[in-house]
Amino acid sequence: MAAHVAVDELQHGPLAEPSIAMLVSGGHSSLLLVPDLAQDVQPLGRTIDDAAGEAFDKVARVLGLPFPGGPPIDKAAREGDPSAIAFPRGLTGRGDAPYDFSFSGLKTAVARWVEARQRAGEPVPLADVAASFQEAVADVLTAKAVRACRDHGVDHLVLGGGVAANSRLRALAEERCEKAGIVLRVPSPKLCTDNGAMVAALGSRLVAAGVAPSAPDLGADSALPITTVSR
C-alpha cells in the first residue's frame, strides 16, 4: 500500500507529510493517513466487498466490453451522459462508515438495469450506462477522499492505483480538491500500474530513512494481511 503512494515521488518529488492517500485498483479501494511514508502509514478505510477496479471489470462484462474493464468503460463514457441513470452511491448514508467503500450494490444495480432493458426488448444505451456507472464510482471515491482530508486537517491528497488512470476520477478529484483548497497529486497512468517502480520508490525511501532491512531468510506470504508488517 505504501508503495502505491511512494511511486508519486518519482514524478512530483518529496511527499508532503502528513498526506491523505486514496488507492484504487482491481484489488482494493483504500484511504490512508500518511504522517510518515517510511514509518507511519495508517489505514482509515477500505472496500468491504468489490473494489472499484473489480466493479469496472464486472460492469464491462455486462456491457460486452473487453477485460480489463477500466479503459473501455472510460472510452465509452466519453460519448455518454453521466446523469442519464441514477445509479446508487454505496456507503454514503448518514450512519455509514465515512471512509469505507462498497461497490457491489452499484455493480448489481447496473446489471439489473441492463437486464431489464434487454427483457423489454429495448436497446441498451451503452455510453450512458458507462458514463452513469463511472460517475457513481468517481463521486463516491472523491467525496470520501475530500472528507478524510477535511476531517484530519490535511491539505494534500495523493491518488494512486490502476483506477487512478480513469479520466473522470482524475477530473472530479481535481475539481473537488480545488474547491476545498487541497493540493492533488496524481502520478502518470504508467506509474499507477508499474509495480516495479512502486516497490523501488518505497525501498529508496526506506533506505533514506534508515529503516533496517529485512532478514535474508524472510519468506514470502501472499496471504499476509496488509496491516501486518514483517521485517
Side-chain angles (χ1 to χ4, degrees):
M1 303 290 279
H4 276 85
V5 183
V7 75
D8 181 74
E9 294 194 325
L10 298 180
Q11 183 171 353
H12 297 121
L15 184 72
E17 294 174 332
S19 284
I20 293 290
M22 181 169 68
L23 308 180
V24 194
S25 72
H28 55 76
S29 302
S30 304
L31 276 170
L32 310 173
L33 175 63
V34 189
D36 184 331
L37 182 56
Q39 304 192 65
D40 187 12
V41 177
Q42 303 170 16
L44 296 178
R46 60 180 181 82
T47 185
I48 64 170
D49 43 52
D50 288 355
E54 185 179 1
F56 269 92
D57 292 339
K58 291 179 178 178
V59 168
R61 185 166 63 245
V62 168
L63 296 176
L65 296 173
F67 177 89
I73 286 180
D74 198 352
K75 182 178 180 181
R78 294 169 193 164
E79 306 298 324
D81 178 4
S83 63
I85 308 164
F87 288 132
R89 272 64 167 163
L91 288 184
T92 56
R94 185 182 297 272
D96 290 329
Y99 309 133
D100 283 344
F101 301 99
S102 170
F103 296 107
S104 179
L106 170 60
K107 168 209 66 183
T108 301
V110 174
R112 287 178 176 170
W113 194 94
V114 170
E115 289 166 1
R117 295 280 292 200
Q118 292 171 334
R119 282 197 303 270
E122 300 176 354
V124 175
L126 187 149
D128 285 347
V129 174
S132 298
F133 161 75
Q134 181 173 265
E135 188 69 17
V137 174
D139 183 19
V140 171
L141 289 171
T142 55
K144 289 189 176 241
V146 169
R147 177 176 180 174
C149 288
R150 287 173 169 163
D151 289 350
H152 291 83
V154 174
D155 61 2
H156 279 71
L157 172 66
V158 180
L159 178 58
V163 181
N166 179 268
S167 64
R168 181 53 183 158
L169 177 58
R170 285 171 171 255
L172 189 56
E174 182 176 353
E175 175 187 324
R176 286 180 166 171
C177 283
E178 184 176 356
K179 288 181 180 179
I182 297 168
V183 177
L184 176 66
R185 293 173 48 139
V186 190
S188 69
K190 181 178 180 180
L191 288 177
C192 286
T193 56
D194 190 335
N195 289 336
M198 294 176 195
V199 173
L202 180 59
S204 175
R205 190 66 136 74
L206 294 175
V207 170
V211 176
S214 302
D217 60 349
L218 177 68
D221 182 359
S222 62
L224 190 71
I226 61 173
T227 54
T228 301
V229 177
S230 295
R231 293 196 175 101

